[in-house]
Amino acid sequence: MADVAAAAGVSAMTVSRALRRPDSVSAEVRARVEEASRRLGFVPSRVASALASARTMTVAVLIPSLTNAVFIDLLAGVQETLSPQGYQPMIGLTGYGPEEEERVLRMQLSHDPDGVILTGLDHTPGTWDLLRGLTVPVVHTMDLSVEGDLAAEGQDGGCGVQAVGFSQFDAGYAIGAHLAERGRRRIGLIAGQLDPRTRQRCDGWRQALRDAGRHDPALELMVPDATSVALGAELLERALAAHPDTDALFLCNDDLAQGALFQCARLGIPVPDRLAVAGFNDLAGSAWTLPPLTTVATPRRAIGVEAARLLIAGMEDRGPGRENPRRVDLGFRLMIRETT
C-alpha cells in the first residue's frame, strides 16, 4: 500500500480510503490510485484489512437458487447497492431447505461477514440460535407474512427481525379475487416447489375463492418439483384431464404459466375464451406471450436494494437496533393482461 501511495502521490491512508470507499475520495485521486495499483499489480489483502479494521467488508447473502430469476433479480439489487460502499456479497445457496440453510449460514459465519441477508423467515431453531448470537445486522427478504412473524416470535429469542418484502398472502388473494371477478366458476390451482412463500400465496388464493364461494380443493394440483416451463405444460394436461370443466387456472410461478400457455396453443385450447390463465412474479417474457400473461409483478430488485440499504445502515450504526426492528413492505402489482 505504501508503494501504491508513493506511485500515486498520496498518503497510504488515502489509498486505503480509495480502495475501501471509492466515493470518499475525488475522481481524480481515485483514478491515480487505481492506475498505480494496476501498474504495480497490487491487490489489497482482505485478511490484513479485517485485522486492522475489525471488518471484512463482506456480506453473507443466502438465497435458495441461482436458476430462479426471482433471486437473480434480488441479487442484482443487493450487489448494485453494496458495491459502491465497498462491500462484497458472499453468496450461499440453500436449495430451499431450512437444514441446508443452517449449514450454509454456519459456514458463511466462519468468514466473519459484516452483515447477513436471508431469504424468508422459515428458519430452523438452530439458525435462529445462530442469528441470536450475532453482533452484526441481519435482514430477511421476500416475506412479511403473519406465519413468518409467529415463527420469529416463537424462535428468534430477541433477534429483532428486520424484513423487506411484500405480503405473499395478499398477492395470492388478489389473483384469486381477480379470477372470481371475471366470472370464472371452476378455478384451479397449479403449484410447484412448495416453499413457504408459494404456500402463502396459495393460502391467499384459497381465501379469495372461499370469500367468493368458489373454492374446490379437488381443483388443486400441487407438486414438490422445481418449477419450469416444461413442468407447467405437463401439469396443465394433468389438471384438465382430471377436471375438464376447469375454466381458469392460477399457476404459482410464471414459468409454469408460460408452459401452460404453450401447451394450450399445442392442444388448440383457446385462452382466455375456454380457459383463463394467470401466473405470478411477472418474469421476463410474460408480457410477450401469446396472449400476454396476467400475473403479479413482485419487486425483487427493489427488495434487494432496500435490504442492502437497511443492512448498510445497521453496519454503520445508523439503522434501528434489535429493540426497534424495521419492516419494509414494498407491495406488488396485479398485471391484468389478455390471458384473463
Side-chain angles (χ1 to χ4, degrees):
M1 191 177 292
D3 292 341
V4 171
V10 298
S11 69
M13 182 63 73
T14 298
V15 172
S16 177
R17 286 202 310 272
L19 295 173
R20 287 190 303 111
R21 297 288 180 83
D23 57 350
S24 67
V25 300
S26 69
E28 186 268 334
V29 168
R30 185 164 63 249
R32 279 163 41 203
V33 169
E34 290 173 351
E35 193 280 329
S37 297
R38 281 194 298 270
R39 182 155 44 87
L40 297 175
F42 174 68
V43 177
S45 169
R46 286 287 188 184
V47 174
S49 176
L51 289 172
S53 66
R55 286 191 174 191
T56 62
M57 302 305 292
T58 60
V59 169
V61 183
L62 275 65
I63 59 172
S65 169
L66 278 175
T67 61
N68 188 329
V70 168
F71 301 110
I72 298 297
D73 292 344
L74 185 145
L75 277 178
V78 169
Q79 171 67 31
E80 72 183 41
T81 308
L82 290 179
S83 184
Q85 303 301 317
Y87 291 99
Q88 181 65 34
M90 294 189 302
I91 300 169
L93 301 180
T94 68
Y96 294 93
E99 291 76 17
E100 178 65 5
E101 179 189 60
E102 181 182 340
R103 188 192 72 80
V104 173
L105 177 63
R106 197 176 296 276
M107 181 180 65
Q108 296 277 51
L109 293 179
S110 70
H111 295 280
D112 294 325
D114 296 320
V116 177
I117 294 177
L118 297 169
T119 302
L121 287 161
D122 54 309
H123 309 310
T124 64
T127 293
W128 285 118
D129 287 342
L130 290 172
L131 298 177
R132 186 175 63 246
L134 293 180
T135 58
V136 300
V138 177
V139 178
H140 300 74
T141 62
M142 302 300 294
D143 192 355
L144 297 173
S145 69
V146 172
E147 177 186 338
D149 290 345
L150 293 175
E153 289 169 8
Q155 301 181 61
D156 78 348
C159 282
V161 173
Q162 300 191 96
V164 181
F166 62 97
S167 171
Q168 300 274 350
F169 181 94
D170 289 351
Y173 189 100
I175 203 75
H178 167 67
L179 292 172
E181 289 164 1
R182 297 301 297 166
R184 303 291 167 160
R185 309 297 303 181
R186 300 285 289 164
I187 304 172
L189 169 74
I190 291 177
Q193 197 63 65
L194 306 185
D195 60 83
R197 290 163 298 284
T198 296
R199 292 198 299 269
Q200 289 158 23
R201 70 187 69 138
C202 290
D203 287 344
W205 170 87
R206 289 188 192 98
Q207 189 59 53
L209 294 197
R210 289 192 190 105
D211 291 347
R214 299 181 196 175
H215 179 239
D216 182 352
L219 300 183
E220 297 183 17
L221 178 55
M222 304 178 70
V223 299
D225 310 58
T227 64
S228 68
V229 171
L231 183 64
E234 175 191 334
L235 294 181
L236 170 89
E237 286 202 66
R238 283 176 54 183
L240 293 183
H243 300 281
D245 59 343
T246 300
D247 62 5
L249 280 172
F250 169 43
L251 298 100
C252 286
N253 202 45
D254 273 8
D255 53 359
L256 292 174
Q258 290 173 8
L261 277 181
F262 296 150
Q263 197 67 353
C264 283
R266 287 192 181 96
L267 299 175
I269 299 172
V271 176
D273 295 342
R274 160 67 182 84
L275 182 71
V277 176
F280 197 92
N281 276 319
D282 199 19
L283 299 182
S286 290
W288 299 98
T289 56
L290 292 174
L293 178 66
T294 290
T295 184
V296 173
T298 56
R300 289 98 58 185
R301 194 183 196 99
I303 289 172
V305 169
E306 188 59 31
R309 285 176 179 166
L310 194 57
L311 199 73
I312 290 168
M315 292 187 294
E316 298 182 353
D317 296 323
R318 293 186 286 104
R322 294 189 176 191
E323 302 79 16
N324 184 31
R326 283 190 60 189
R327 304 294 179 94
V328 181
D329 186 349
L330 296 182
F332 59 87
R333 286 183 298 149
L334 180 60
M335 310 297 291
I336 300 175
R337 300 191 180 114
E338 294 174 28
T339 58
T340 60

